Amino acid sequence: MKQHITGLIQAALDTLVQNGSLPKGISPSIMVENTRDKSHGDLASNIAMTLAKPARRNPREIATLITQALPASDILSKTEIAGPGFINFFITSASATKVLEDIFEQTTEFGCSTELSAEKIQVEFVSANPTGPLHVGHGRGAAYGATVADILAANGAQVSREYYVNDAGRQMDILAVSVWLRYLEQCGASFVFPANAYKGQYVYDIAEQVKAQYSDKFSFSSEQVFAELPLDEPQGGDKERYIDAVIARCRQLLGETAFQELFQVGLTAIRDDIRDDLSGFGIDYQEWFSERSLTSTGDVDKALNRLQENGNLYEKEGNIWFKSTDFGDDKDRVVKRANGATTYFASDIAYHMNKFDRGFDKVVNIWGADHHGYITRVKAAIQALGYDPQRLTVKLVQFAILYRGSERVQMSTRSGSFVTLRELRGEVGKDACRFFYVTRKADNHMDFDLELAKSQSKDNPVYYIQYAHARICSVLSKLNDSEWQLDLATGLRVLGDSTDDAEKALLNQLARYPETIKNAATNYEPHLVANYLKELASEFHTYYNSNKMLIEDAELRNARITLSTGVKQVLANGLSLLGVDAPQRM
RNA sequence: GUCUCAGUAGCUCAGCUGGAUAGAGCAGCCGCCUCCUAAGCGGCAGGUCGGAGGUUCAAUUCCUCUCUGGGACACCA
């Protein structure tokens, strides 16, 4: 529709330039937008005002010239010049129903585009350390990332969803040791649990599993385990130093092979739990990428070598540094420490090299806002490796702060005092969670009020939208039980002659769905879809309340139900993109 | 210190990517179920879009400065 009118305006401009009414060489970008106020028609263009200056003429004069030069079109009922020089376009009712034909023809595909069909895009999200179950803070990144991925796919992109498993590093060692100590307790040992170890219930569960699977294989006496260790924090020592000493002791007693075995049990248990959890949240990945694999495949070395060859590395005080300041970073970054260990950042560099080498045109990272400072250095590394940093898009997600009523819920993974995503789903339900998380822009702060999300009231927008869908289903089911049948052709014809404001508003809103999906994709803003659905539901509820559907008058009946059927389809399509169910009844 | 997000109705937030008279929900008040789901609808009331400049025919929207508040980061994974 917009494109059609843009084309008409372009044709008019060409004519006017040819006959000398407008100067040559003007090449304005033609903007056609939806009007906010329907007395201004359906669509409007500001073209005359943008031309006023280069053409050195009064905008209303230009508007008049353009409307006169506009080629004939059977979708326009009239045009008007209004305000400072807007050209308002009024669409004929008959062509407004075209959107319904599209909906019925494309059904679940309606709103999808092929805009991005040439692109292979990877979306990496959540990627929480596998040291414990996901908590509500991860939920937002999960919902956001999944929805972004689905919206990109809806626009034709070939999307791969990926979870980067941080299975290397000290945090994982701490997990392994935490499991080991709980296991020792089950073997009968008694001791004070380290301040810095993981204390959650899940650690007991994994320990039990280890005990069942390996019996006494990893068992040692408390004396062997705790002999000559530094003091833990509660005893006046340092908790970091203490836990490191416990890790070292664990490795020493078990030997590296057994330690890895134990480590793997913990990692696998938690990774599988996370996978299962996300799947229950409606999110499935194509790839679970192991950080450790980067070392074993040699990608880390390969990446560092490449930087070395490109002259981006140097040595200082025994450490190897990446000269990221050459690419706009505040300071250079260590990639390899004096003891030979590569840093987390080195893995990140290798990981991104690996991503591009896998052939993705675009890579989208959904990160927690605390990773904010990494963007510059990662982009720097990408550029140094010889890739275009523009191909990486990083979207930051602010943490959601959880409230129970007015009380803030404190969370810490280490202390085990957190609300897990699984608990949240159990309490609030998948649909409300998924919707709630994406109603606000990702980089905005969000308070997640449990009570509100749980409440089955109109405070809760997800029910409002689902209810609109359920209402339509209910009408259709009643229709199905009646002697009447839906006649779409009649419905479309009658709607084409309609002058009803609510009907026109609904048709207009339906027509806006495809561009909403497109905007949501290009800006990575799923909240646009959520807002759109709220508006559509609102307009439908208004319509429903003032127009009875199942009536004797066949013309009106078919018109109303035809329109409602279209609304139902679009509600279902939109909700599906957000990972929310569209229930038949509520 | 650096970065980042926000400031719009009493509260929570939209504002369609610069347009015409700034919108919802909640809270308050008044109405609507002999009728397909009242988890709904209509109405009333409520505003110096934090402030000051700038760009523009046009600024809540873009730029600069400033005030207030939230958050993150500072050779660590």
Side-chain angles (χ1 to χ4, degrees):
Chain A
M1 197 69 78
K2 278 186 183 174
Q3 281 173 354
H4 179 78
I5 289 179
T6 305
L8 296 180
I9 294 173
Q10 187 60 58
L13 291 179
D14 291 345
T15 313
L16 292 172
V17 170
Q18 262 174 27
N19 70 21
S21 306
L22 287 176
K24 287 192 174 119
I26 51 163
S27 57
S29 65
I30 301 171
M31 301 267 296
V32 175
E33 55 200 7
N34 296 299
T35 54
R36 295 185 180 174
D37 184 337
K38 286 304 147 195
S39 69
H40 297 137
D42 300 293
L43 296 163
S45 179
N46 60 357
I47 184 70
M49 290 180 293
T50 60
L51 283 177
K53 196 159 221 180
R56 317 185 111 228
R57 296 186 73 157
N58 174 320
R60 289 190 67 107
E61 229 174 274
I62 298 173
T64 309
L65 288 171
I66 293 174
T67 47
Q68 282 165 355
L70 230 40
S73 165
D74 54 6
I75 72 162
L76 290 180
S77 60
K78 65 168 174 174
T79 57
E80 270 180 9
I81 295 159
F86 288 105
I87 304 174
N88 294 334
F89 298 88
F90 293 77
I91 306 296
T92 62
S93 304
S95 59
T97 60
K98 171 78 164 54
V99 64
L100 285 173
E101 294 174 47
D102 291 345
I103 292 170
F104 299 142
E105 190 186 309
Q106 298 164 28
T107 62
T108 56
E109 301 289 306
F110 177 74
C112 295
S113 79
T114 53
E115 196 91 343
L116 304 173
S117 60
E119 300 195 39
K120 263 185 84 178
I121 304 179
Q122 184 209 53
V123 182
E124 181 221 322
F125 60 108
V126 186
S127 301
N129 284 341
T131 52
L134 298 176
H135 57 70
V136 294
H138 299 121
R140 192 175 186 190
Y144 176 74
T147 310
V148 164
D150 287 353
I151 290 175
L152 290 173
N155 283 280
Q158 200 180 319
V159 176
S160 177
R161 297 156 188 82
E162 182 154 319
Y163 190 116
Y164 182 53
V165 183
N166 295 111
D167 52 9
R170 182 164 166 268
Q171 297 305 323
M172 287 305 296
D173 290 341
I174 296 178
L175 175 78
V177 157
S178 304
V179 169
W180 185 52
L181 294 176
R182 290 304 188 203
Y183 160 87
L184 292 177
E185 284 178 343
Q186 284 175 23
C187 293
S190 174
F191 49 84
V192 179
F193 202 71
N196 210 21
Y198 291 101
K199 300 192 180 73
Q201 173 61 40
Y202 62 95
V203 181
Y204 289 92
D205 299 341
I206 300 170
E208 258 175 52
Q209 191 189 322
V210 173
K211 181 85 166 71
Q213 198 174 337
Y214 292 95
S215 186
D216 291 337
K217 180 170 178 183
F218 306 123
S219 183
F220 292 88
S221 71
S222 302
E223 291 72 31
Q224 288 172 291
V225 174
F226 294 99
E228 294 170 32
L229 289 181
L231 292 177
D232 197 4
E233 189 172 72
Q235 286 75 47
D238 182 286
K239 62 177 182 179
E240 304 293 347
R241 186 165 303 167
Y242 179 71
I243 197 73
D244 283 340
V246 178
I247 293 170
R249 179 61 48 85
C250 178
R251 295 189 115 113
Q252 174 207 331
L253 290 173
L254 294 180
E256 197 56 27
T257 310
F259 180 79
Q260 288 305 329
E261 216 170 345
L262 179 73
F263 182 101
Q264 196 61 40
V265 175
L267 168 63
T268 307
I270 291 178
R271 207 225 292 109
D272 289 355
D273 175 74
I274 289 173
R275 186 185 345 232
D276 175 72
D277 195 10
L278 287 171
S279 188
F281 203 36
I283 301 170
D284 294 293
Y285 286 86
Q286 277 73 54
E287 181 76 32
W288 292 74
F289 193 95
S290 156
E291 178 187 355
R292 287 201 290 178
S293 74
L294 289 168
T295 311
S296 57
T297 58
D299 275 355
V300 173
D301 291 336
K302 187 174 153 198
L304 293 185
N305 286 341
R306 212 196 284 184
L307 291 179
Q308 180 75 273
E309 285 161 21
N310 294 350
N312 302 117
L313 298 185
Y314 65 91
E315 191 177 335
K316 193 176 102 186
E317 293 158 9
N319 296 328
I320 309 285
W321 298 70
F322 166 50
K323 206 159 185 321
S324 55
T325 47
D326 282 353
F327 305 92
D329 201 3
D330 301 340
K331 53 182 100 173
D332 294 338
R333 311 288 171 177
V334 176
V335 290
K336 195 182 237 179
R337 281 190 237 101
N339 64 10
T342 53
T343 60
Y344 182 88
F345 179 48
S347 297
D348 260 348
I349 296 173
Y351 182 38
H352 285 85
M353 177 188 76
N354 177 289
K355 287 185 183 200
F356 287 118
D357 287 350
R358 273 188 275 161
F360 293 110
D361 299 305
K362 256 196 227 163
V363 164
V364 181
N365 291 352
I366 314 289
W367 283 350
D370 54 337
H371 285 65
H372 169 306
Y374 295 141
I375 300 177
T376 314
R377 75 188 73 160
V378 169
K379 288 208 172 215
I382 289 172
Q383 198 175 344
L385 287 169
Y387 304 99
D388 178 3
Q390 300 271 22
R391 287 165 64 194
L392 169 69
T393 301
V394 178
K395 299 305 287 185
L396 295 178
V397 179
Q398 287 287 341
F399 296 120
I401 299 168
L402 193 65
Y403 285 83
R404 204 177 275 281
S406 58
E407 197 180 332
R408 184 169 173 173
V409 182
Q410 292 296 339
M411 281 183 299
S412 153
T413 311
R414 201 69 56 79
S415 68
S417 68
F418 49 74
V419 178
T420 63
L421 181 60
R422 190 175 267 114
E423 283 163 359
L424 183 74
R425 283 199 285 121
E427 193 172 337
V428 175
K430 180 205 71 166
D431 289 342
C433 287
R434 286 289 302 262
F435 190 87
F436 229 82
Y437 274 130
V438 297
T439 42
R440 205 133 305 159
K441 267 205 200 108
D443 55 359
N444 283 8
H445 303 97
M446 187 179 92
D447 295 337
F448 195 122
D449 184 350
L450 273 171
E451 300 300 328
L452 184 67
K454 263 200 314 194
S455 73
Q456 305 216 340
S457 74
K458 52 192 160 188
D459 303 0
N460 201 335
V462 66
Y463 290 111
Y464 183 79
I465 298 164
Q466 288 180 316
Y467 184 47
H469 184 267
R471 269 184 151 173
I472 300 170
C473 290
S474 177
V475 170
L476 291 175
S477 138
K478 287 266 187 332
L479 176 77
N480 203 36
D481 295 340
S482 74
E483 73 274 22
W484 296 318
Q485 284 190 338
L486 177 56
D487 177 354
L488 291 176
T490 302
L492 288 170
R493 177 176 52 76
V494 177
L495 282 170
D497 295 333
S498 166
T499 54
D500 183 274
D501 284 343
E503 285 174 351
K504 289 169 86 168
L506 271 172
L507 287 169
N508 203 276
Q509 181 74 3
L510 291 175
R512 282 189 44 200
Y513 180 70
E515 69 194 65
T516 301
I517 300 306
K518 211 173 292 177
N519 282 340
T522 50
N523 299 315
Y524 306 98
E525 289 184 343
H527 77 280
L528 294 176
V529 181
N531 286 343
Y532 170 88
L533 290 173
K534 274 194 266 187
E535 283 169 25
L536 178 59
S538 168
E539 277 169 8
F540 177 74
H541 283 309
T542 300
Y543 181 61
Y544 178 91
N545 255 272
S546 50
N547 297 92
K548 195 158 159 52
M549 311 262 160
L550 299 169
I551 49 173
E552 290 292 332
D553 184 327
E555 303 240 303
L556 284 182
R557 184 180 70 235
N558 278 303
R560 289 171 184 172
I561 298 177
T562 297
L563 178 56
S564 299
T565 304
V567 172
K568 172 174 120 77
Q569 182 70 60
V570 173
L571 285 173
N573 290 4
L575 286 173
S576 154
L577 271 183
L578 301 183
V580 177
D581 293 337
Q584 301 282 319
R585 65 184 67 223
M586 293 171 71

